[in-house]
Amino acid sequence: MKNKNYMKLEFASKSTNEAFARVVVAAFASQLDPTIEEISDIKTAVSEAVTNSIIHGYENVEGMVTIESRIVDNEIEIIIKDEGKGIDDLEKALEPFYTSKPELERSGMGFTVMETFMDKLEVVSELEKGTKVRMIKKFKSLPNKE
Amino acid sequence: MKNKNYMKLEFASKSTNEAFARVVVAAFASQLDPTIEEISDIKTAVSEAVTNSIIHGYENVEGMVTIESRIVDNEIEIIIKDEGKGIDDLEKALEPFYTSKPELERSGMGFTVMETFMDKLEVVSELEKGTKVRMIKKFKSLPNKE
Amino acid sequence: MRLILDTIDENLIVKFKGELDHHTTEEARNKIDMWYFEKRKKNIIFDLRELNFMDSSGIGLIMGRYKTCKENGGEVFIVSSSSNIERILRMSGIYKIISVYPTVDSILENSLEG
Amino acid sequence: MRLILDTIDENLIVKFKGELDHHTTEEARNKIDMWYFEKRKKNIIFDLRELNFMDSSGIGLIMGRYKTCKENGGEVFIVSSSSNIERILRMSGIYKIISVYPTVDSILENSLEG
Ligand SMILES: Nc1ncnc2c1ncn2[C@@H]1O[C@H](COP(=O)(O)OP(=O)(O)O)[C@@H](O)[C@H]1O
Ligand SMILES: Nc1ncnc2c1ncn2[C@@H]1O[C@H](COP(=O)(O)OP(=O)(O)O)[C@@H](O)[C@H]1O
């Protein structure tokens, strides 16, 4: 039997919700019996994407961030979306160490972290429309039986 | 300054998600610095409402359960909704010990638990449309500053 | 949730660890009943001390076993110490028909004396 | 997140407990800089051993303090032992410019000798 599950979370783009978002995705992923390292990878990747939506997408104006997640067998898909200002030059944005906000002491490592800690990363962005980050991770463990 | 926050969660009506729903609401409420007892009250009330949507609303057919939550100052509002079969006789349903599913060993205490553990409970239901439970709890603690 | 089953004399001892909700009661119910009947026990002792969450599904589970035990001339006992679990047990009125004890031993001593 | 600040000689020791993300770095940054300048310290030692989460915001915070220290003729040191934190530190290339030690004492001994 296929192990399947789905959830969607929307929340206000407040920096207090970065920790909340991590807890939610980690709790959802926990049904896959992940290792501590796998959970840490997912929490870090989610934290990067959610932080980006809050500080780059909405630039601290309040908007809504959406996280959608699907589990199929031992694979988790996580989509993090905002309707913020979007990314002008996506290729440059994806480069390690590039940041448009050095004054906020951003390291420019966000996308690199997501890419390294997850198995797959896709970014779609449109100026003035928003940004959508899609990540996939395959877990080593066998899924829990229902 | 007013302490305000908002989140909305949708998930598949699977019984594994009962624990997930509790964790999410507890994590969201944790910004109010609740006591262990207050968190336990909220987790129990959420568990009752979500379980009802899964077993009574959808009768184990898969549908979506929605939890919306708002924090304003030291008050949390939690709305749990399904688009399941709805409740025929709401007055009877709210009576302690009444259950339409004694064969599943339901205790008929769900609504009584929600009422006792939260400060306010409102139920709206329409046959074949679904059920919406709205609960409010005021926390004793002062809200965290941002 | 972890379920630990044990027997002493004519008692089945059911120990829960973790969270007891609708999902986990479904898993526990069959195992408890199987042990109760296969090992021909009379009484069930629910040890709830290591449970950190229980909702009304747990009440339903205990009440269901209460009926089974009564039908077989047995009794149900509860061992509990956590205040959160106590609150829902008290609310449910279950203490009107089932006695609560602080330890498993205090039940066993009592039933030996009786 | 809890931030514990301490000074030994010309070193400011910054100890984090809990989770270091964008939200909590914002809280920590001002306090660290205030102590650094008010107490006229030269070096900063980041003790990350009790951190159970850090994302790239933490890298940004450390790199920012690295610049400040360099401008004031000082240095930055890291104390770390958790493998999860190690992974993001290594990935960021921060170890090319900042040295990591297993304990605070091993840094203090080193700088005394040096
Ligand atoms: N959700 C987003 N909305 C708008 N711009 C974004 C978003 N995410 C990333 N960016 C842009 O891409 C750049 C690189 O992102 P990232 O690698 O995460 O580094 P950092 O967050 O440290 O700047 C950001 O500086 C920003 O200009
Ligand atoms: N979301 C729902 N959808 C349909 N029926 C419901 C829903 N919630 C409650 N009910 C009805 O109300 C009755 C009483 O609910 P409750 O007090 O929670 O007891 P229990 O869940 O133990 O049956 C249920 O048995 C069911 O008939």
Side-chain angles (χ1 to χ4, degrees), chain C:
Chain C
M1 201 267 302
R2 266 181 67 200
L3 176 67
I4 297 157
L5 296 168
D6 197 2
T7 59
I8 295 185
D9 304 328
E10 51 191 1
N11 308 294
L12 173 61
I13 302 172
V14 178
K15 182 172 192 153
F16 297 111
K17 289 186 177 198
E19 310 209 326
L20 192 57
D21 63 4
H22 160 244
H23 180 74
T24 50
T25 51
E26 299 278 288
E27 300 179 342
R29 182 177 296 116
N30 292 335
K31 283 187 199 152
I32 297 170
D33 287 353
M34 243 170 53
W35 274 60
Y36 182 78
F37 289 111
E38 284 183 2
K39 305 199 186 272
R40 298 168 179 276
K41 295 295 151 191
K42 224 177 87 184
N43 309 317
I44 299 181
I45 300 173
F46 285 103
D47 184 349
L48 311 180
R49 285 173 298 177
E50 290 184 46
L51 211 48
N52 42 45
F53 177 85
M54 183 174 101
D55 66 14
S56 73
S57 309
I59 305 292
L61 179 80
I62 297 173
M63 289 304 299
R65 285 342 96 215
Y66 174 79
K67 277 178 208 153
T68 310
C69 286
K70 280 285 152 190
E71 282 163 16
N72 290 276
E75 274 190 81
V76 165
F77 304 94
I78 290 175
V79 181
S80 162
S81 57
S82 132
S83 66
N84 287 328
I85 310 287
E86 284 285 319
R87 276 160 63 231
I88 192 162
L89 287 170
R90 217 175 306 119
M91 221 193 79
S92 73
I94 214 169
Y95 286 159
K96 287 178 200 148
I97 51 171
I98 301 178
S99 307
V100 64
Y101 292 81
T103 60
V104 174
D105 283 344
S106 56
I107 299 171
L108 297 176
E109 282 161 24
N110 241 22
S111 62
L112 280 177
E113 285 163 18

Side-chain angles (χ1 to χ4, degrees), chain A residues 52-53 56-57 82 86-87 93 98-100 106-111 131:
Chain A
N52 279 353
S53 290
H56 300 301
D82 64 65
I87 301 175
Y98 170 78
T99 178
S100 58
R106 301 306 299 164
S107 65
M109 291 298 295
F111 281 130
T131 302

Side-chain angles (χ1 to χ4, degrees), chain A residues 15 18 41 47-48 105, chain D residues 19 22-23 55-56 65 87:
Chain A
S15 65
E18 292 158 5
D41 289 352
S47 198
E48 299 293 349
E105 298 193 341
Chain D
E19 311 210 326
H22 159 245
H23 180 75
D55 66 14
S56 74
R65 284 343 96 216
R87 276 159 64 230

Side-chain angles (χ1 to χ4, degrees), chain B residues 48-49 52-58 82 84-87 92-95 98-101 106-112 114 125 131 133, chain C residues 56:
Chain B
E48 299 294 348
N52 279 352
S53 290
I54 293 173
I55 61 177
H56 300 301
Y58 293 115
D82 64 66
K85 69 187 268 257
I87 300 175
K92 199 165 74 183
L94 290 167
E95 278 172 20
Y98 170 77
T99 178
S100 58
K101 296 221 185 304
R106 303 304 301 164
S107 66
M109 292 298 296
F111 283 130
T112 312
M114 295 180 232
S125 188
T131 302
V133 171
Chain C
S56 73

Side-chain angles (χ1 to χ4, degrees), chain A residues 11-22 47 50-51 54-55 60 62, chain B residues 5 146, chain D residues 21-24 26-27:
Chain A
F11 55 88
S13 63
K14 297 157 66 92
S15 65
T16 35
N17 287 337
E18 292 158 5
F20 171 60
R22 292 196 296 272
S47 198
V50 167
T51 302
I54 293 172
I55 61 178
N60 293 319
E62 223 170 275
Chain B
N5 206 347
E146 296 269 306
Chain D
D21 62 6
H22 159 245
H23 180 75
T24 50
E26 300 278 287
E27 300 178 342

